[in-house]
DNA sequence: CAGCAGAATAATGTTGACAATCTACAATCC
DNA sequence: GGATTGTAGATTGTCAACATTATTCTGCTG
């Protein structure tokens, strides 16, 4: 028992060290910039002033520069030579395309999840559904929004995919650039969760094709809701 | 007539300046590194030595660092803190996943191309097919390989998509990391071009659904061929 | 001789300074 | 008055030096 504990601690420490060791100023700044952009603290189209940000974050310009370049990977910014990096400004067409891409990849992930989900994963998915039902009943959009993100991330995790997961997450962030809350109103939340239930049902019975279709349809519906909002 | 000529020249110069203006040491180094990686001059798993590359290219480490980070966007390298950036080493599973993703996106692009292709585009597609037929008949794998890339890039262009095109191109480069020539042998080339013809036929008759299906299938067949090779 | 400290070496991370470029505004000319 | 040129300030691009971290080699100890 004692040995188990110490082993547990040791692996914990090792993991923690591993994590800390991977952190560097660039990653730190990167995360902070990403947060600022997604929170709208830096608005769409705005320039990321290297000197100002470096000063603000207490580092030199180099880490800021590299972090900004790194954000390009997620499509959060675009770089113009000799002018700077700017927070991307999504047109409606671009947003619609992002939804299409996300729908395809989400379907792919749901299909894989149906193949790979074990009993624990299925239980966890059920828990997510229940919690989102609760949030929907309370009309707590904030909570539902967070749970929704976690739910889809969880499906991505159990899919066992690599690049597709990263892509899905990246496209998700890109979409959030629009800063437009599609899910609003209790009935909208409930409807969204109905679709979640269909996805989970398909995953639970291991029906990959159905899971793929439901996952894709859920995101396509999201695109339709977005377009209807405008 | 004279006026037309000078106008023509002026726009040429303007475009050229515009292009040069966007070039900077970072982009220059980035392209060179990409070339080196895709040509296998830097092998999979190998580290990109900043100082050595900087020396070799006659620049300081900063542009090399940024260029290397920029290559991360295309998944050509992975960065490990305090250890460096390494050319990605694709496992078979990862490669298969890349093929799946590419198949989905290619299908998406073919579907859009079927909707947006004008008469000129259709003619151009026909030309590609003819040229690839010729290369296949001669068994010129090198030429077929290049034409194949151009053909798919052209479809991506006429699709009118934005992010999806970039993604498709990026995944294409990633796949090339394997440095495995799937297309070999005259019959293989001819078979591949048969599939191209089905795609072009669907685009020519404006059948988006069929184009999507054919485009996806073509890439899925590529994945199958890859897996059979091993 | 295996294995392990510890120094030496080499690489990356970070910084501040300088060069090149862009932007905005004022002075000039027609 | 309007357009154009020139100049000053701000911003990005690049560089070389220093700090920190990883790797390798060496010599010691059992």
């Amino acid at each position: 028992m004692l040995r188990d504990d110490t082993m547990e601690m040791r692996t914990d420490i090792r993991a923690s060290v591993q994590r800390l060791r991977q952190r560097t100023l660039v990653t730190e700044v990167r995360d902070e910039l990403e947060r600022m952009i997604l929170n709208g603290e830096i608005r769409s189209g705005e320039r990321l002033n290297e000197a100002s940000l470096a000063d603000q974050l207490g580092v030199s310009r180099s880490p800021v520069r590299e972090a900004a370049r790194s954000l390009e990977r997620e499509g959060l910014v675009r770089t113009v030579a000799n002018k700077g990096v700017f927070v991307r400004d999504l047109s409606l067409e671009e947003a619609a395309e992002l939804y299409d891409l996300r729908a395809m990849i989400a379907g792919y992930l749901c299909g894989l999840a149906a193949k790979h989900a074990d009993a624990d994963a299925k239980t966890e998915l059920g828990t997510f559904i229940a919690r989102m039902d609760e949030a929907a009943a309370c009309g707590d959009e904030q909570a539902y929004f967070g749970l929704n993100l976690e739910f889809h991330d969880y499906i991505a995790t159990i899919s066992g995919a690599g690049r597709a997961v990263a892509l899905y997450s990246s496209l998700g962030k890109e979409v959030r650039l629009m800063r437009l809350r599609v899910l609003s109103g209790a009935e909208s939340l409930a409807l969204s969760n109905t679709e979640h239930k269909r996805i989970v049902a398909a995953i639970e019975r291991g029906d990959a094709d159905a899971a793929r279709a439901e996952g894709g349809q859920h995101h396509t519906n999201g695109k339709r809701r977005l377009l209807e909002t405008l």
Side-chain angles (χ1 to χ4, degrees), chain A residues 105-200:
Chain A
I105 295 172
Y108 179 70
L109 294 177
C110 287
L112 286 178
K115 284 180 189 161
H116 297 149
D118 58 13
D120 284 352
K122 290 173 182 174
T123 307
E124 185 70 16
L125 286 173
T127 308
F128 271 118
I129 296 287
R131 291 171 67 194
M132 283 191 280
D133 255 341
E134 191 176 356
C138 302
D140 187 346
E141 294 175 11
Q142 194 90 16
Y144 189 90
F145 184 70
L147 284 168
N148 185 48
L149 280 180
E150 279 185 59
F151 170 70
H152 288 289
D153 279 353
Y154 187 70
I155 291 182
T157 304
I158 62 181
S159 76
R163 191 83 169 82
V165 175
L167 249 176
Y168 179 76
S169 156
S170 175
L171 290 170
K173 286 174 187 164
E174 231 171 305
V175 164
R176 285 175 59 190
L177 276 177
M178 293 245 308
R179 307 199 54 68
L180 201 54
R181 189 64 58 89
V182 175
L183 291 171
S184 63
E187 67 288 348
S188 173
L189 303 188
L191 184 60
S192 160
N193 210 24
T194 301
E195 295 169 10
H196 290 160
K197 286 168 190 165
R198 296 175 64 87
I199 296 173
V200 170

Side-chain angles (χ1 to χ4, degrees), chain A residues 20-74:
Chain A
L20 277 176
R21 179 152 286 168
Q22 274 293 78
R23 306 301 295 177
T24 173
L25 275 189
V26 174
T27 59
E28 216 70 43
V29 171
R30 208 201 74 86
D31 289 352
E32 177 62 11
L33 288 183
E34 178 178 301
R35 194 194 59 73
M36 289 171 89
I37 291 173
L38 292 181
N39 279 14
E41 292 171 26
I42 311 179
R43 273 164 295 186
S44 282
E46 201 169 328
R47 197 187 71 240
L48 272 59
N49 187 315
E50 293 177 4
S52 153
L53 286 168
D55 201 45
Q56 189 175 330
L57 299 172
V59 298
S60 91
R61 277 176 52 214
S62 301
V64 175
R65 275 180 74 86
E66 280 190 35
R69 290 299 203 286
S70 167
L71 287 177
E72 238 186 347
R73 171 157 205 212
E74 300 181 342

Side-chain angles (χ1 to χ4, degrees), chain A residues 69-86:
Chain A
R69 290 299 203 286
S70 167
L71 287 177
E72 238 186 347
R73 171 157 205 212
E74 300 181 342
L76 256 40
V77 301
R78 70 173 208 285
T79 302
V80 183
N82 293 319
K83 293 184 76 176
V85 312
F86 301 81

